[in-house]
Amino acid sequence: AQTVTQSQPEMSVQEAETVTLSCTYDTSESDYYLFWYKQPPSRQMILVIRQEAYKQQNATENRFSVNFQKAAKSFSLKISDSQLGDAAMYFCAFSGAGSYQLTFGKGTKLSVIP
Amino acid sequence: DVKVTQSSRYLVKRTGEKVFLECVQDMDHENMFWYRQDPGLGLRLIYFSYDVKMKEKGDIPEGYSVSREKKERFSLILESASTNQTSMYLCASSLLALSYNEQFFGPGTRLTVL
């Protein structure tokens, strides 16, 4: 069974600064997908970024990028130029190839300080 | 845009009551999911459905059942609600049964069982 670990229950960042959220996972599979989802307060959860394990290049979506270290089984999310709207719960998730189930971490609550 | 709606944002029920949580998606998605979200535990999969009348158990199916009579609607049923089922319930859908597919989430139903 896969496990996803987010070791930082809460983090904070100054507006316009950069913050990195950590995620590690454990799996015996070689082909899989990793995701970061964002859940703003009282709003629906949305996908932030997605990484295919077979791709060496780190995924980037505007101010959001990941640092994917396959050998270390690490998948961190970097948010650059943090904005007040980035305040949310962030969940790291894993999906094995051939499975449409997501395994989620416990989440990191990010606060953005004006 | 994909829209996933849930019948109630807040629900209060008594122990032993039969509870129905409804979820509807409007984008002809094949897959639908029910998760339970608890602080410090992240999201845990209760059931998912990959087609009409088809369902599979997730990680925590005990005490729950589901129904999918139409493609757009997926219901979660608590046959006899208990206080330990007090939680936030999230519904999600995805287009295809593929591991890299984005899941689209509803706003959640916060259920309190007294």
Side-chain angles (χ1 to χ4, degrees):
Chain A
Q2 294 81 15
T3 59
V4 177
T5 302
Q6 293 179 248
S7 58
Q8 306 150 315
E10 294 189 27
M11 291 194 71
S12 61
V13 62
Q14 291 283 145
E15 197 175 2
E17 297 295 311
T18 295
V19 64
T20 298
L21 308 184
S22 301
C23 173
T24 59
Y25 58 93
D26 189 23
T27 183
S28 58
E29 298 186 48
S30 58
D31 194 13
Y32 50 86
Y33 299 85
L34 295 161
F35 307 80
W36 279 99
Y37 279 85
K38 171 185 177 182
Q39 187 181 38
S42 301
R43 293 180 61 188
Q44 286 163 254
M45 190 174 302
I46 57 172
L47 178 66
V48 175
I49 200 164
R50 169 173 44 203
Q51 174 79 42
E52 295 87 346
Y54 61 85
K55 288 187 177 179
Q56 292 187 338
Q57 186 173 5
N58 289 324
T60 299
E61 289 286 343
N62 301 315
R63 297 182 295 106
F64 297 87
S65 62
V66 299
N67 183 5
F68 174 49
Q69 302 287 331
K70 191 172 184 178
K73 296 181 180 176
S74 171
F75 181 61
S76 60
L77 174 70
K78 186 171 83 170
I79 306 173
S80 304
D81 185 25
S82 296
Q83 300 175 359
L84 295 178
D86 296 333
M89 282 291 291
Y90 287 83
F91 292 95
C92 178
F94 171 101
S95 179
S99 168
Y100 34 86
Q101 290 193 61
L102 284 174
T103 299
F104 285 87
K106 295 180 180 181
T108 297
K109 183 179 180 180
L110 178 67
S111 301
V112 180
I113 303 165
Chain B
D1 283 348
V2 175
K3 194 167 185 180
V4 180
T5 57
Q6 296 182 227
S7 50
S8 305
R9 289 301 300 270
Y10 300 93
L11 208 53
V12 179
K13 295 292 181 181
R14 297 268 178 205
T15 301
E17 280 192 79
K18 190 170 186 176
V19 181
F20 292 86
L21 303 183
E22 305 285 336
C23 175
V24 177
Q25 50 93 4
D26 66 357
M27 284 301 289
D28 202 34
H29 281 181
E30 299 288 335
N31 302 310
M32 296 189 75
F33 307 82
W34 275 107
Y35 293 93
R36 173 174 170 159
Q37 182 180 8
D38 298 289
L41 296 179
L43 278 74
R44 294 177 292 168
L45 181 66
I46 305 172
Y47 268 98
F48 67 96
S49 169
Y50 51 91
D51 202 350
V52 175
K53 298 189 186 293
M54 305 304 288
K55 61 186 179 185
E56 285 199 21
K57 294 179 180 179
D59 298 320
I60 52 165
E62 297 79 17
Y64 303 95
S65 62
V66 291
S67 172
R68 194 169 180 197
E69 296 296 321
K70 294 184 177 181
K71 192 174 185 179
E72 68 270 18
R73 188 180 298 270
F74 191 36
S75 302
L76 179 69
I77 303 157
L78 286 66
E79 294 289 342
S80 178
S82 63
T83 55
N84 63 13
Q85 292 178 309
T86 291
S87 186
M88 171 71 86
Y89 291 88
L90 297 178
C91 175
S93 71
S94 68
L95 178 58
L96 297 171
L98 297 171
S99 51
Y100 60 79
N101 259 204
E102 176 181 359
Q103 290 190 17
F104 294 85
F105 286 82
T109 295
R110 188 167 294 281
L111 173 67
T112 301
V113 182
L114 301 176

